[in-house]
């Protein structure tokens, strides 16, 4: 069975591990420091995402969603994540900005950040969070 480091993360048909290619960075977060993810609703429909791998130790706002603004994220589980970033690092979101809502979400796995605002589920948070938890190790 492949591990998260044996995945063609950039979709180019090759594995570039250890060569400095994009695959060594893993998944590219949805939203970043200049482009925020904003949506009237992202409903995970009680599904899970397993083995999310992100290795961007010098990049801020790292998670499945890097940076959100005025969005709703519901009903999503992240299982056995392996996420590394700089500032604003979390499994679900690195930075949830004002007017965002997160409901019925959870995470497990490992989340590492080198500076500030690191959390198991959400790194820097200004959102409203309801019925969520994380057992991710930091």
């Amino acid at each position: 069975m492949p591990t998260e480091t044996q995945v063609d993360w950039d979709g180019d048909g090759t594995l570039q591990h250890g060569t400095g290619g994009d695959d060594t960075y893993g998944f590219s977060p949805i939203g970043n420091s200049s482009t925020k993810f904003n949506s009237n609703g992202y409903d995970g429909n009680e599904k899970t995402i397993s083995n999310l791998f992100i290795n961007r130790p010098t990049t801020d706002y790292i998670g499945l969603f890097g940076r959100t603004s005025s969005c709703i994220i519901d009903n999503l589980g992240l299982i056995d994540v392996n996420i590394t970033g700089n500032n604003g690092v979390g499994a679900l979101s690195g930075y949830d900005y004002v007017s965002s809502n997160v409901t019925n979400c959870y995470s497990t796995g490992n989340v590492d950040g080198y500076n500030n605002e690191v959390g198991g589920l959400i790194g820097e948070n200004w959102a409203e969070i309801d019925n969520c938890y994380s057992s991710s190790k930091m």
Side-chain angles (χ1 to χ4, degrees), residues 30 36-46 64-65 68-76 92 99-103 105:
I30 302 166
K36 300 174 208 132
F37 174 76
N38 55 7
S39 169
N40 287 333
Y42 180 88
D43 187 351
N45 199 25
E46 298 182 17
L64 175 64
F65 298 96
T68 68
S69 178
S70 301
C71 78
I72 298 168
I73 302 172
D74 294 320
N75 307 311
L76 182 62
L92 182 66
S99 300
S100 291
N101 294 292
V102 178
T103 307
C105 295

Side-chain angles (χ1 to χ4, degrees), residues 53-136:
F53 172 70
I54 304 172
N55 183 30
R56 299 169 187 266
T58 61
T59 305
D60 295 340
Y61 310 129
I62 297 297
L64 175 64
F65 298 96
R67 187 173 180 192
T68 68
S69 178
S70 301
C71 78
I72 298 168
I73 302 172
D74 294 320
N75 307 311
L76 182 62
L78 300 170
I79 299 172
D80 292 328
V81 300
N82 185 356
I83 297 175
T84 302
N86 191 36
N87 288 309
V89 183
L92 182 66
S93 176
Y95 182 12
D96 277 340
Y97 195 64
V98 178
S99 300
S100 291
N101 294 292
V102 178
T103 307
N104 301 323
C105 295
Y106 66 91
S107 69
T108 67
N110 293 300
V111 177
D112 292 311
Y114 290 100
N115 282 306
N116 300 314
E117 294 93 22
V118 178
L121 187 66
I122 297 172
E124 185 172 352
N125 180 53
W126 295 93
E128 212 174 291
I129 301 175
D130 294 308
N131 198 36
C132 296
Y133 72 91
S134 175
S135 63
S136 297

